[in-house]
């Protein structure tokens, strides 16, 4: 790796040259939060009623194993087509987790598969924690991805503080202390979640009551969700997704506990969440990565053509907020790998690093900075990889 005119000829003798004169090559982007098993369930319109939307998503989630496998594989295919080289996936079932881990080489992508779990009441939380421990114990921690240095590793995802009680969070935190499972959760996503944890009321309380899952002892804690999970955040290595509603001291808590945050810009816009504090999080030293969430809340505006791509998320922030291109590049690459607890250095173009690139067409004769060109254009991204055997793909 290096400038072409500075590479020693002894390294170049007999090398295969791949010409991409009209492309900008970036380190392969990282989608740190996806729901691959929901790929065939969307997009779904959102009318402002979050509990009603949740019901539609529950009804739309595939139930048959063949349908789950097909959705996961289509999600992987769309990710690769959009230039994504690493994915943090929330697997809604063991079938979804297995489908991702055993995907064919032309679909496989390294990253993390987080097995999702639910359990609000104490007894349900304990049962969920026992079940997840037994399930993961029977699986290999890492499944190799052909031709890649890293494979797919296991993680655990308590769904959210409105569907997973504190005993479940504490149990999986302790489980991760004994093993090396990655941990993630949806956190501080909506005002309805804040009301439920604070007062035990609101639309989510009504939804849980209708489903027969409301436990008054598990909600109405008089706390913000981040404060409620403080013990788990201090004692585990967490990746918190969304974090749409934070106060100043929550940013400090996330920094102090080493918690990473995944911001899904277009998903937040889809739900009408505004004024995300991602730049303040970055300024405070919190590791902030980018994600897409599921295809259910993509497929509109900039993400229509590549709904599981990270480049549309970067473009959205650049156009809406005039976000710094260097910050966006870091959020899409090194920060994403760091959030998944992969080697962040592998998201740089250097000798010895995996050769995986997101390639985007540019006008090589335009004197505009190439990264800015990419952020201001609508050109699609693609994945270019050279595997450990030297095989070029893309």
């Amino acid at each position: 790796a290096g400038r072409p005119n500075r590479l020693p000829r002894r390294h170049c003798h007999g090398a295969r040259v791949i010409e991409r004169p009209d492309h900008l090559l970036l380190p392969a982007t990282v989608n740190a939060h996806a729901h691959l098993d929901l790929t065939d369930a969307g997009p779904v319109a959102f009318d402002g009623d979050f509990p009603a939307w949740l019901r539609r998503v529950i009804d739309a989630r595939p139930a048959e194993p063949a349908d789950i496998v097909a959705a996961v594989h289509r999600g992987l295919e769309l990710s690769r087509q959009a230039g994504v080289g690493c994915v943090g996936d929330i697997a809604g079932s063991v079938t979804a987790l297995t489908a991702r881990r055993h995907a064919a080489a032309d679909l496989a992508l390294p990253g993390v598969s987080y097995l999702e779990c639910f359990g609000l009441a104490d007894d349900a939380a304990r049962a969920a924690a026992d079940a997840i421990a037994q399930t993961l114990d029977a699986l290999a921690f890492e499944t190799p991805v052909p031709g890649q240095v890293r494979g797919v590793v296991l993680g655990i995802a308590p769904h959210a503080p409105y569907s997973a009680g504190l005993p479940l969070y504490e149990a999986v935190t302790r489980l991760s202390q004994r093993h090396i499972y990655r941990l993630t959760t949806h956190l501080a996503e909506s005002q309805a979640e804040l009301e439920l944890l604070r007062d035990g009321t609101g639309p989510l309380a009504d939804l849980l009551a209708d489903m027969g899952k409301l436990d008054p002892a598990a909600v109405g804690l008089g706390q913000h969700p981040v404060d409620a999970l403080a013990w788990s955040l201090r004692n585990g290595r967490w990746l918190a997704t969304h974090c749409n509603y934070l106060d100043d001291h929550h940013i400090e808590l996330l920094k102090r506990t080493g918690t990473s945050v995944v911001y899904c810009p277009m998903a937040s816009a889809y739900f009408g969440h505004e004024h995300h504090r991602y730049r303040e999080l970055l300024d405070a030293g919190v590791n902030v990565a980018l994600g897409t969430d599921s295809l259910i809340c993509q497929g509109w505006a900039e993400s229509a053509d590549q709904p599981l791509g990270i480049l549309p998320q970067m473009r959205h922030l650049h156009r809406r907020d005039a976000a710094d291109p260097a910050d966006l590049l870091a959020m899409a690459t090194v920060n994403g790998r760091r959030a998944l607890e992969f080697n962040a250095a592998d998201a740089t173009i250097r000798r010895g690093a995996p050769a995986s690139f997101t390639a985007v067409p540019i006008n090589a004769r335009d004197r505009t900075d190439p990264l800015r060109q990419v952020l201001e254009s609508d050109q699609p991204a693609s994945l270019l990889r050279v595997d450990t055997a030297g095989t070029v793909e893309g």
Side-chain angles (χ1 to χ4, degrees):
R3 295 182 180 277
N5 62 350
R6 290 179 174 268
L7 288 177
R9 292 193 177 276
R10 65 179 181 278
H11 292 321
C12 301
H13 179 71
R16 177 177 177 180
V17 177
I18 307 168
E19 295 287 355
R20 291 290 190 276
D22 295 320
H23 285 75
L24 175 64
L25 298 185
L26 306 171
T29 55
V30 179
N31 185 350
H33 182 82
H35 291 263
L36 297 177
D37 60 357
L38 293 175
T39 301
D40 289 339
V44 172
F46 179 65
D47 61 4
D49 187 337
F50 186 60
W53 180 88
L54 278 176
R55 288 183 182 276
R56 288 197 296 274
V57 171
I58 292 170
D59 292 341
R61 181 183 286 275
E64 295 298 321
D67 295 335
I68 295 171
V69 171
V72 170
H73 288 180
R74 180 167 175 254
L76 288 169
E77 181 179 11
L78 289 174
S79 299
R80 291 170 62 103
Q81 289 175 359
V84 173
C86 187
V87 177
D89 176 45
I90 311 300
S93 63
V94 176
T95 300
L97 185 148
T98 303
R100 192 288 178 74
R101 287 160 63 92
H102 294 163
D106 61 345
L107 292 177
L109 288 172
V112 182
S113 278
Y114 300 95
L115 185 58
E116 196 166 42
C117 54
F118 302 80
L120 191 59
D122 282 3
D123 56 348
R126 285 192 292 270
D130 291 343
I132 206 109
Q134 293 176 18
T135 298
L136 296 185
D137 189 53
L139 299 171
F141 172 71
E142 183 167 1
T143 301
V145 170
Q148 299 302 301
V149 175
R150 292 303 307 268
V152 181
V153 303
L154 291 176
I156 310 173
H159 175 251
Y162 61 83
S163 56
L166 296 185
L168 180 52
Y169 280 96
E170 292 167 5
V172 301
T173 298
R174 292 189 176 95
L175 182 61
S176 74
Q177 290 172 338
R178 296 194 300 272
H179 301 280
I180 48 177
Y181 300 131
R182 273 60 167 170
L183 298 173
T184 193
T185 191
H186 303 89
L187 185 60
E189 180 176 4
S190 67
Q191 290 286 359
E193 177 188 329
L194 271 60
E195 180 180 356
L196 181 73
L197 267 288
R198 184 185 62 241
D199 305 323
T201 59
L204 283 176
D206 297 339
L207 174 64
L208 290 169
D210 290 345
M211 297 173 65
K213 296 184 180 296
L214 180 63
D215 179 7
V219 298
L221 304 177
Q223 291 181 297
H224 185 283
V226 175
D227 296 318
L229 295 186
W231 183 90
S232 292
L233 296 177
R234 284 195 301 267
N235 290 279
R237 305 179 315 278
W238 284 89
L239 174 55
T241 299
H242 299 309
C243 293
N244 291 318
Y245 298 96
L246 299 176
D247 295 330
D248 290 349
H249 77 275
H250 299 137
I251 294 177
E252 175 57 31
L253 177 61
L254 294 172
K255 177 183 184 300
R256 193 167 63 248
T257 58
T259 302
S260 289
V261 170
V262 183
Y263 177 32
C264 303
M266 298 189 71
S268 288
Y270 165 88
F271 287 114
H273 304 306
E274 298 180 337
H275 311 302
H276 195 280
R277 303 183 70 177
Y278 69 96
R279 286 185 284 199
E280 293 167 83
L281 286 160
L282 288 169
D283 290 343
V286 177
N287 183 61
V288 182
L290 293 176
T292 60
D293 213 314
S294 72
L295 192 143
I296 285 175
C297 52
Q298 298 292 326
W300 60 278
E302 300 108 312
S303 67
D305 293 332
Q306 296 192 321
L308 295 185
I310 291 300
L311 180 57
Q313 312 297 322
M314 299 168 67
R315 285 170 169 161
H316 180 76
L317 294 181
H318 182 67
R319 292 165 180 173
R320 187 192 71 188
D321 302 340
D324 184 345
D327 284 345
L328 294 174
L329 181 60
M331 292 165 71
T333 56
V334 280
N335 291 12
R337 292 189 67 90
R338 188 176 292 116
L340 300 180
E341 298 185 53
F342 276 32
N343 185 359
D346 287 346
T348 61
I349 299 174
R350 63 181 179 85
R351 185 178 180 185
S356 294
F357 308 99
T358 297
V360 191
I362 59 170
N363 180 356
R365 291 162 295 285
D366 188 336
R367 297 180 67 85
T368 304
D369 175 75
L371 180 55
R372 191 171 293 276
Q373 276 194 56
V374 163
L375 293 173
E376 294 174 353
S377 79
D378 293 313
Q379 293 287 350
S382 60
L383 184 65
L384 174 66
R385 295 202 311 193
V386 181
D387 69 18
T388 52
T391 302
V392 179
E393 173 190 346

